[in-house]
Amino acid sequence: MIQDYIGDIIKCTRCGRCSALCPVHEELEWESTNARGRMLLARALAEGEAPSESMKRSFYTCLTCSMCSSTCPSGAKPDLVMEAARKELIRLGCQPGYYDGILDNISRHGNSLGEPGPRNAWVPEELKLKGKADVIYWAGCLASYRQQSVALASLKVLSRFGARVLEDERCCGSPLLRLGGEPVTLEHNVEQIRKSGASTLVTGCAGCYKTLKESICDVEVLHFTQFLARHVDELKLERLPYKVTYHDPCHLGRCMGVYDEPRSIIKRICDFEEMASHGKEARCCGGGGGVRRGYGDLARAIAKKRLSEAPHDVDYIITACPMCRASLQEAGGRVLDISELVLMSLI
């Protein structure tokens, strides 16, 4: 309940540091669209104030990018408070319509996009799971249905180490969790993983990685870049004649601390130059926290700002999350997933 977070809410000293760092506040400029303002509204909600439309807009324009939490001098965690506030809005029946749509899509089709077709249509017959596999590749909804080149590149690389895909993977639950809901497919996915006999689950999606890492304890959960960094010496990779930069996905970098592995892989393949903000300070792509679904214009404006931070002379922006890839591509960037770069380099 939101009341359980009152201690964290009052940690906010309203210093205003978040105002200077929040990409949403930079666009909208209202006090209610930075962590300081949102924490005041969350306190009002916890103290029994009825939700208003402006309160809902404040909570649901949060990217959950953790920029505020990672830099807060008081140690407050506004991103966690926002998820709790959203959970309270759902309890009160005040959730936005697109939340209900996502929940219905996952409940009916097993994916957040509402796609009725088979999830594994992109998987070559020889790489489908037949029996058991020690390593499972988890594609996620976006890669399975909208970015199949990323899914296929990831699986082709991981198949060098015996990886296969689950027979019936369903949404990990990240879209619901970020919006304050519950992962309704968790038990199904845990059972699928158990049946596969896998000891390692590898995903290329930052949101899936965070969710699965925090939800599943029976297997080792790794991001594609973490797994590959362990095994990169076992692959034959040729240098490519490109200069690239790297966009840190928020849920992979700030939330889970994965910074070095993607860079170590990229530097083996290409010339590399950092974006203007990177690592812990990297700006969000605009796609997180359901903002891309509920506030598309805002998400696109933030993505364009992020593209402006890329060095002007790079051939590609590399990222390690299908959502970031989609957001930055739609804003006009030349973007590759790191799995596509590795596959291009693989001899």
Side-chain angles (χ1 to χ4, degrees), residues 170-299:
R170 298 182 189 176
C171 180
C172 70
S174 177
L176 296 175
L177 285 165
R178 301 292 79 80
L179 291 171
E182 298 295 335
V184 295
T185 52
L186 178 60
E187 290 184 10
H188 169 88
N189 287 327
V190 168
E191 179 61 18
Q192 285 286 302
I193 295 165
R194 186 195 65 78
K195 285 170 56 180
S196 76
S199 64
T200 303
L201 189 70
V202 183
T203 182
C205 174
C208 291
Y209 171 65
K210 181 179 188 295
T211 301
L212 296 170
K213 185 78 171 178
E214 294 174 344
S215 303
I216 297 176
C217 57
D218 296 334
V219 296
E220 182 181 32
V221 178
L222 296 172
H223 188 266
F224 176 87
T225 58
Q226 292 175 305
F227 182 89
L228 205 61
R230 289 184 185 179
H231 297 280
V232 69
D233 290 334
E234 301 168 44
L235 295 174
K236 292 183 178 181
L237 300 174
E238 65 176 354
R239 298 274 309 173
L240 298 176
Y242 302 129
K243 181 178 180 181
V244 303
T245 192
Y246 176 67
H247 164 76
D248 288 277
C250 301
H251 288 140
L252 184 62
R254 267 188 300 278
C255 292
M256 304 302 289
V258 180
Y259 297 113
D260 295 337
E261 293 91 333
R263 289 168 169 81
S264 69
I265 295 164
I266 292 168
K267 289 175 183 178
R268 282 178 174 254
I269 298 171
C270 297
D271 292 337
F272 176 75
E273 184 178 347
E274 292 282 12
M275 298 187 79
S277 70
H278 54 272
K280 184 180 177 181
E281 286 77 38
R283 289 177 58 93
C284 183
C285 73
V291 172
R292 187 164 178 263
R293 185 73 67 102
Y295 299 89
D297 289 344
L298 173 62

Side-chain angles (χ1 to χ4, degrees), residues 307-328:
L307 288 179
S308 72
E309 296 195 318
H312 72 277
D313 58 345
V314 295
D315 297 291
Y316 296 104
I317 298 170
I318 308 300
T319 191
C321 177
M323 176 65 79
C324 296
R325 180 180 180 271
S327 295
L328 296 175

Side-chain angles (χ1 to χ4, degrees), residues 134-156:
D134 188 53
V135 179
I136 288 294
Y137 166 59
W138 181 283
C141 299
L142 198 55
S144 293
Y145 289 103
R146 303 283 171 81
Q147 297 190 30
Q148 295 179 343
S149 65
V150 172
L152 192 55
S154 300
L155 183 56
K156 283 183 175 179

Side-chain angles (χ1 to χ4, degrees), residues 16-257:
R17 180 172 174 80
C18 54
S19 301
L21 297 171
C22 176
V24 173
H25 182 254
E26 185 177 18
E27 292 299 322
L28 301 181
E29 298 183 337
W30 289 92
E31 180 67 12
S32 60
T33 58
N34 65 55
R36 180 172 65 178
R38 290 187 177 114
M39 293 291 252
L40 287 172
L41 289 172
R43 182 168 185 169
L45 184 66
E47 293 174 349
E49 184 165 327
S52 64
E53 286 302 314
S54 58
M55 182 185 284
K56 286 170 60 176
R57 185 170 184 264
S58 172
F59 294 159
Y60 281 101
T61 52
C62 174
L63 292 159
T64 66
C65 71
S66 293
M67 179 69 86
C68 50
S69 296
S70 69
T71 57
C72 178
S74 302
K77 301 293 182 185
D79 55 337
L80 300 183
V81 173
M82 284 305 96
E83 290 183 15
R86 291 169 173 184
K87 189 179 294 290
E88 182 70 5
L89 292 184
I90 291 172
R91 187 185 73 81
L92 295 171
C94 296
Q95 69 274 15
Y98 59 87
Y99 170 83
D100 296 325
I102 292 171
L103 177 60
D104 184 62
N105 287 343
I106 294 172
S107 300
R108 292 175 58 200
H109 303 295
N111 67 82
S112 60
L113 306 169
E115 295 283 356
R119 192 180 186 94
N120 288 350
W122 58 272
V123 182
E125 187 63 34
E126 66 274 13
L127 297 182
K128 291 182 178 179
L129 180 65
K130 298 178 175 66
K132 306 285 185 179
D134 188 53
V135 179
I136 288 294
Y137 166 59
W138 181 283
C141 299
L142 198 55
S144 293
Y145 289 103
R146 303 283 171 81
Q147 297 190 30
Q148 295 179 343
S149 65
V150 172
L152 192 55
S154 300
L155 183 56
K156 283 183 175 179
V157 173
L158 294 172
S159 69
R160 300 286 184 101
F161 306 98
R164 297 293 184 267
V165 294
L166 292 174
E167 292 181 8
D168 189 19
E169 171 193 307
R170 298 182 189 176
C171 180
C172 70
S174 177
L176 296 175
L177 285 165
R178 301 292 79 80
L179 291 171
E182 298 295 335
V184 295
T185 52
L186 178 60
E187 290 184 10
H188 169 88
N189 287 327
V190 168
E191 179 61 18
Q192 285 286 302
I193 295 165
R194 186 195 65 78
K195 285 170 56 180
S196 76
S199 64
T200 303
L201 189 70
V202 183
T203 182
C205 174
C208 291
Y209 171 65
K210 181 179 188 295
T211 301
L212 296 170
K213 185 78 171 178
E214 294 174 344
S215 303
I216 297 176
C217 57
D218 296 334
V219 296
E220 182 181 32
V221 178
L222 296 172
H223 188 266
F224 176 87
T225 58
Q226 292 175 305
F227 182 89
L228 205 61
R230 289 184 185 179
H231 297 280
V232 69
D233 290 334
E234 301 168 44
L235 295 174
K236 292 183 178 181
L237 300 174
E238 65 176 354
R239 298 274 309 173
L240 298 176
Y242 302 129
K243 181 178 180 181
V244 303
T245 192
Y246 176 67
H247 164 76
D248 288 277
C250 301
H251 288 140
L252 184 62
R254 267 188 300 278
C255 292
M256 304 302 289

